[in-house]
Amino acid sequence: MASVWLAALALVLAGPVPSVLARAQWPQRVPRAAIVLWQAIALAAVLAAVGSALAAPEELLRALGPEQRQGTTMVVAVAIAAILAGLIVLRLLGVLVLLAVRTRRRRARHRDMVDLLDRAERSALIGGGGAKSVLRVLDGAVPFAYCVPGRAPRVVVTEAALDTLDADELRAVLAHEQAHLDARHDLVREGFVALHQAFPVLARSRQARDAVGMLLEMLADDAGRSRCSDTAMAGALEAFGAAGDTEVGARLARVRAQACGSRALATGTYLAAAAVVVVPTVAVVIPWLAVALPAAGVLR
Ligand SMILES: [Zn+2]
C-alpha cells in the first residue's frame, strides 16, 4: 500500500495543497517561513512520486505471492522501479540544467546591454546599490527598478524612477533589490520555475511559482522597510505601481498595514515545513522498507 499512499500524497501536494496555500493570506505575514514551507511541499511531492515509483513493482510482486519475489522476476521488478524513479529525477534535473544554462546566457546578454545603455553621469552620482553590486541607470519615462543577479550583479533603475522617488524611497528601492541579490532569490525562483516546467502540461499549475514569486518580493520589501522605513517603501511602491497592478497593490497594502508576522506563526510554519517532509517518511516509507527489505532477502 505504500506506493498507493505515496502516489496519493504526491497528487495532494501537487494540486489541492498549493491551491489552498496560494489563496491564504497568513503566509504574507511570514514570507521567509512561508517560502520554506513551499519548498518543503515541493520536495515532499517529488520524494513521494519517486518513492511511489520505487515501491510499486515490489509491492505488486509481494501481492502475487512469495514465489514471485525470487530470481529474474525480482530483478525485473527492481529494474522497472529504478527506471520509473530515474525518469522522474532525470526529467527534473534535465529541466533544471537547461533552465540554468539559458537563464545565465540571457543574464550575461542583459548585463552587457545595461552596461552599454547606462547613463553614467547619473549612476556615478548615486553610487552602487550596495557594496557587491553595480548600479546602472537607464533612460526611460516609466519608473521601475530591477536587478540582474549572478556573479557580477547589477541593480538597474530608470531615470524616471530617480526623478520620481525621494532620497529615502530610492534607498528603500536599492535595499529591496540588494536583498534579492544577497539572498539569491533568483535561485529559489528558478527551482520553482523548473518544477513547473518539469510537470506534464495538463497537471501544470502556476500557483506555487507565482505565490513564491510574490513572497520573495515581500521579503525584499521587508529589507527595504528595515533599512529605511515603512513610509519610504510604501512611497516607492506607490510610484512604481501602475493602476490595476494587483501584485504591487497587495505589496503596498501590506507595507501600509505595517504587517509584521509573529514569532509563533513563523515557528509554526517552519514546524509544518519539517513535518511535510518527515511525517510521510516515518509513517509510510520506513514501514514499507521494514517489510520490503527482508522480503527481498536484503535483511533477514
Ligand atoms: Zn523585487
Side-chain angles (χ1 to χ4, degrees):
M1 279 301 280
S3 59
V4 178
W5 282 118
L6 289 172
L9 182 68
L11 286 175
V12 169
L13 291 176
V17 170
S19 182
V20 170
L21 192 57
R23 281 199 299 268
Q25 294 296 311
W26 63 263
Q28 299 183 1
R29 285 161 55 202
V30 283
R32 192 186 305 277
I35 290 166
V36 173
L37 178 60
W38 273 109
Q39 287 174 314
I41 289 168
L43 176 68
V46 172
L47 289 179
V50 171
S52 171
L54 282 174
E58 186 279 332
E59 288 193 322
L60 191 65
L61 282 193
R62 197 142 36 91
L64 292 174
E67 65 285 356
Q68 299 292 332
R69 293 200 312 265
Q70 285 151 12
T72 321
T73 338
M74 195 64 201
V75 173
V76 172
V78 170
I80 292 173
I83 289 169
L84 286 176
L87 280 176
I88 297 172
V89 175
L90 278 178
R91 164 99 182 133
L92 226 141
L93 285 179
V95 170
L96 196 60
V97 169
L98 206 67
L99 183 75
V101 171
R102 279 184 189 154
T103 307
R104 269 139 203 83
R105 236 184 252 155
R106 202 181 57 235
R107 261 186 216 148
R109 280 201 301 272
H110 196 139
R111 208 163 18 238
D112 291 347
M113 198 184 70
V114 294
D115 286 355
L116 208 67
L117 296 174
D118 178 38
R119 298 293 304 265
E121 73 282 6
R122 293 207 74 173
S123 53
L125 273 178
I126 304 159
K132 289 167 265 171
S133 63
V134 177
L135 181 78
R136 295 289 180 235
V137 178
L138 299 184
D139 211 356
V142 181
F144 65 83
Y146 64 92
C147 59
V148 185
R151 253 179 284 168
R154 302 281 187 271
V155 171
V156 183
V157 292
T158 55
E159 285 208 295
L162 297 184
D163 296 338
T164 312
L165 303 174
D166 67 24
D168 266 357
E169 290 166 351
L170 179 61
R171 278 201 311 128
V173 168
L174 296 181
H176 170 109
E177 299 305 336
Q178 195 59 44
H180 281 318
L181 296 173
D182 289 345
R184 292 308 305 261
H185 288 170
D186 57 301
L187 296 179
V188 178
R189 207 184 293 254
E190 223 168 273
F192 280 92
V193 172
L195 200 63
H196 172 72
Q197 290 182 1
F199 254 76
V201 177
L202 285 176
R204 218 176 255 183
S205 158
R206 296 162 56 156
Q207 282 169 323
R209 192 193 61 178
D210 294 351
V212 169
M214 174 77 119
L215 290 169
L216 288 172
E217 289 308 321
M218 290 174 171
L219 202 52
D221 287 343
D222 288 349
R225 294 164 70 192
S226 67
R227 282 282 296 275
C228 301
S229 65
D230 288 346
T231 318
M233 196 67 242
L237 286 171
E238 238 168 73
F240 286 176
D245 186 335
T246 50
E247 185 189 307
V248 174
R251 285 165 56 195
L252 183 58
R254 177 176 174 272
V255 174
R256 275 192 186 136
Q258 303 184 351
C260 287
S262 70
R263 196 177 289 263
L265 182 61
T267 308
T269 309
Y270 284 124
L271 286 176
V276 166
V277 178
V278 173
V279 169
T281 310
V282 174
V284 183
V285 179
I286 292 177
W288 168 63
L289 286 175
V291 178
L293 293 181
V298 177
L299 291 173
R300 285 189 192 280

